[in-house]
Amino acid sequence: ALLLAGCTTVPVAQKFPEAPSILQQSCKPLEQVATSATVSEFAKVVVNNYTEYYQCSTLVEAWQEWYKNQKKIFEELK
């Protein structure tokens, strides 16, 4: 009986790792241009929106890279 008990394995449930909190943040909403905006105010809003877009794009790419790597590692352990 002792030999049989030593040969059994207990299944271990693996959990997929949590993503870093920085990658779980939502993107900020883009600014709206006021209808009475001057050309310089309009240009400022456009530049700010492009900046926000590219920062968010970088964050999304980092999230996708992290997920892809973690999934690969997780599946190799199965």
Side-chain angles (χ1 to χ4, degrees):
L2 289 175
L3 290 174
L4 291 176
C7 294
T8 60
T9 58
V10 178
V12 177
Q14 297 174 348
K15 294 180 83 174
F16 197 77
E18 287 291 321
S21 61
I22 187 87
L23 298 180
Q24 295 183 31
Q25 296 175 2
S26 298
C27 295
K28 295 179 186 176
L30 299 178
E31 294 180 42
Q32 299 292 315
V33 178
T35 55
S36 61
T38 64
V39 173
S40 63
E41 291 170 334
F42 178 81
K44 184 178 177 182
V45 170
V46 169
V47 168
N48 289 341
N49 283 344
Y50 270 108
T51 302
E52 281 298 323
Y53 168 78
Y54 285 110
Q55 287 176 346
C56 185
S57 174
T58 302
L59 186 66
V60 168
E61 288 172 2
W63 163 252
Q64 291 170 342
E65 183 69 22
W66 177 89
Y67 181 84
K68 183 176 73 173
N69 289 336
Q70 294 302 317
K71 185 175 181 188
K72 180 180 175 185
I73 292 168
F74 184 77
E75 289 176 348
E76 287 174 355
L77 295 176
K78 288 184 176 183

